[in-house]
Amino acid sequence: MAVLSKALLALIAASVVVGQSPPYGQCGGQGWTGPTTCTAGWTCVAVSSPYYSQCLQGTTTTTATTTTPPATSTPPVTTSTPPATTTTTATPPTGSNPSTGVIGTDFEGTVSSAWSVIVTAQSGGSATIDTTKAHSGTHSLKIVSTGGFSNHIFYGLSNLTALGSGDIYGRYYANFLNAFNQDHTTHMMMTDPVAQTLRMGGQFGVLDWNRASDDSIMPDGSPTSDAGSIAIAGNTWYCIEFHLSRTTSQIETWVNGNVISSLTTPQTRWGSAYIPNPSNWGLGWESYGSDPNTVWYDDIALGTSRLGC
Ligand SMILES: *[C@@H]1O[C@H](CO)[C@@H](O)[C@H](O)[C@H]1NC(C)=O
């Protein structure tokens, strides 16, 4: 403990001299000669060890309420430990905003029949109301997927008529048992006339959007664009928000209230021509490698203006 504290002090002292990387900026990796520490509240994470480390929203904001120094839970920049299993990339949100919006549910009490499994091709998987984990109250939606393309399951709304034809805003809390790895996965899907399926998931360890029609992804997989997204840790609640404009091509994404710059259009390979126009909405799990996961969702809602966390 004493040694770590000294190391931390040395790190802090050094950072005063050499400067600090900004949120989502690079802070380490092979050949990197720039700053190796992040601004307050952000943690340098080896997201693609040993090639690339970036500043992600860190655990330091919790230090006020814990006696454990942040250094003990933060992997050093030079570690080869995968960030997925060692890093809490965000402080669990504590919103008091369970199910606002035009249509939503917190899974407490009787859930409206508007909510159901909308797409499934599942062997050994399930969608159930569960009481082992919840963001608010005592109930959540638990998705179990055995992994693989032919084993997907999505729960949500079979139509979006309640939202009219204007902009769509969504907000959900998600807790993934397994952290995102390099493989491509989907946890939110919408049927769309152009994209066929517009989906939110993960690839290269970070949150991404994907169109089934041409398999375009944003971010585009380059270290720079991936650095503008966010690594998703296991067993951690995230508040994910999105905005789809049905009059312009605008897509926006927030996690725990923070703008995710690489998930905001326009992006490389995701131009302004595509205007999303989804007809349904589902949360669940699908993997295109072989990545089983269990995901809890809570306080899910769609609306016509931003919902917040
Ligand atoms: C559309 O969804 C609403 C719930 O939002 C439901 O009451 C209605 O029956 C659905 N309509 C169709 C055609 O499925």
Side-chain angles (χ1 to χ4, degrees):
M1 184 78 74
V3 172
L4 280 170
S5 298
K6 274 181 191 163
L8 177 65
L9 285 174
L11 262 176
I12 290 168
S15 70
V16 170
V17 177
V18 301
Q20 295 174 314
S21 284
Y24 303 114
Q26 186 169 3
C27 56
Q30 270 178 10
W32 175 248
T33 56
T36 55
T37 58
C38 306
T39 50
W42 294 77
T43 303
C44 189
V45 177
V47 294
S48 182
S49 182
Y51 309 107
Y52 195 81
S53 297
Q54 73 175 125
C55 293
L56 298 176
Q57 198 160 43
T59 55
T60 49
T61 51
T62 61
T63 52
T65 56
T66 153
T67 55
T68 309
T72 58
S73 62
T74 308
V77 173
T78 52
T79 183
S80 61
T81 310
T85 55
T86 58
T87 307
T88 301
T89 52
T91 305
T94 53
S96 54
N97 192 5
S99 61
T100 56
V102 171
I103 185 164
T105 179
D106 58 8
F107 299 104
E108 309 295 325
T110 303
V111 177
S112 157
S113 61
W115 299 94
S116 64
V117 172
I118 58 165
V119 177
T120 183
Q122 190 62 235
S123 172
S126 58
T128 53
I129 308 297
D130 186 63
T131 56
T132 60
K133 257 182 202 182
H135 171 257
S136 74
T138 53
H139 292 66
S140 64
L141 169 70
K142 180 184 182 184
I143 297 283
V144 176
S145 173
T146 50
F149 179 67
S150 56
N151 286 318
H152 52 264
I153 183 164
F154 292 95
Y155 174 103
L157 299 168
S158 62
N159 73 73
L160 302 181
T161 52
L163 297 173
S165 58
D167 286 13
I168 297 174
Y169 288 80
R171 193 278 322 286
Y172 56 95
Y173 290 82
N175 188 313
F176 304 88
L177 183 64
N178 300 324
F180 285 13
N181 60 24
Q182 296 293 302
D183 295 348
H184 189 200
T185 59
T186 292
H187 69 268
M188 176 177 79
M189 56 82 47
M190 290 167 265
T191 303
D192 177 274
V194 173
Q196 295 170 1
T197 310
L198 176 60
R199 39 204 194 187
M200 165 90 82
Q203 194 161 11
F204 308 116
V206 298
L207 197 65
D208 82 350
W209 284 95
N210 174 276
R211 284 190 303 239
S213 54
D214 59 0
D215 218 21
S216 276
I217 56 173
M218 73 170 164
D220 66 8
S222 69
T224 308
S225 64
D226 283 352
S229 184
I230 182 170
I232 299 294
N235 197 28
T236 304
W237 282 107
Y238 290 95
C239 175
I240 301 177
E241 292 179 272
F242 64 92
H243 167 215
L244 304 175
S245 170
R246 288 193 276 192
T247 50
T248 73
S249 61
Q250 183 74 65
I251 295 177
E252 295 179 279
T253 312
W254 300 264
V255 176
N256 296 346
N258 301 310
V259 171
I260 307 301
S261 59
S262 283
L263 299 178
T264 299
T265 57
Q267 294 287 330
T268 310
R269 295 204 283 159
W270 196 294
S272 55
Y274 165 61
I275 298 176
N277 188 19
S279 57
N280 61 10
W281 184 66
L283 296 169
W285 187 257
E286 177 173 71
S287 69
Y288 311 100
S290 171
D291 298 285
N293 215 337
T294 299
V295 193
W296 287 264
Y297 295 100
D298 203 357
D299 302 331
I300 71 177
L302 295 179
T304 54
S305 59
R306 192 164 166 203
L307 303 172
C309 294

